[in-house]
Amino acid sequence: MRKTMTALLLAMTLPTLAMAAPDGDHRPGGDHGPRFFQQLDLSKDQQRQVHKLMGEQRKNDRELTQRYLDKLPAADKQALETERKASREKQQTAIRALLTPEQQKTFDEQAAKMKERKADRQAFEAWKAEHKKAG
């Protein structure tokens, strides 16, 4: 059940990754996704190092994407956000429809927790920005 929820939560983030992927390649790292590394029979240390490097690349990709998004006019940013939100909602609805009633209950609980954490994070970022201005 835990693996299913992890997979579902990961799947909920795929639209964001897909927008940043060139040429329709929806996996981070192109041809170097998890299946690629499974065939290499990496040691635990190698797995940790590869995981770290891939995390650094994802962070770099997000920063690059954000740098270009920051250059968009406000109307385009709002249109992008609206479209991304609609896409995420559509995907969540489709995923939820695949689940059993018990899984739907867990999915809904996890989604509510995620929404709460996001609201907390936004409140913290607003507080941090306010204190940065004051200081």
Side-chain angles (χ1 to χ4, degrees), residues 32-50:
H32 304 291
R35 286 177 277 176
F36 177 87
F37 291 110
Q38 285 177 348
Q39 296 177 4
L40 295 177
D41 194 29
L42 300 174
S43 70
K44 291 290 183 189
D45 186 49
Q46 288 173 316
Q47 289 175 20
R48 278 190 292 276
Q49 290 177 33
V50 166

Side-chain angles (χ1 to χ4, degrees), residues 10-69:
L10 177 62
M12 290 173 10
T13 64
L14 290 178
T16 303
L17 295 173
M19 287 193 63
D23 301 328
D25 185 2
H26 302 295
R27 291 183 316 203
D31 290 330
H32 304 291
R35 286 177 277 176
F36 177 87
F37 291 110
Q38 285 177 348
Q39 296 177 4
L40 295 177
D41 194 29
L42 300 174
S43 70
K44 291 290 183 189
D45 186 49
Q46 288 173 316
Q47 289 175 20
R48 278 190 292 276
Q49 290 177 33
V50 166
H51 181 73
K52 181 181 175 188
L53 290 169
M54 291 179 75
E56 290 170 357
Q57 183 60 46
R58 281 190 302 274
K59 181 181 176 193
N60 185 47
D61 287 347
R62 281 191 302 271
E63 289 171 356
L64 287 170
T65 301
Q66 190 61 48
R67 190 172 9 177
Y68 285 95
L69 288 174

Side-chain angles (χ1 to χ4, degrees), residues 12 85 89 108-122:
M12 290 173 10
K85 183 178 180 185
E89 289 173 357
D108 294 342
E109 290 168 357
Q110 291 299 325
K113 287 178 185 177
M114 208 164 63
K115 189 174 185 178
E116 184 179 323
R117 283 193 303 269
K118 182 178 180 180
D120 288 347
R121 180 68 183 177
Q122 288 174 335

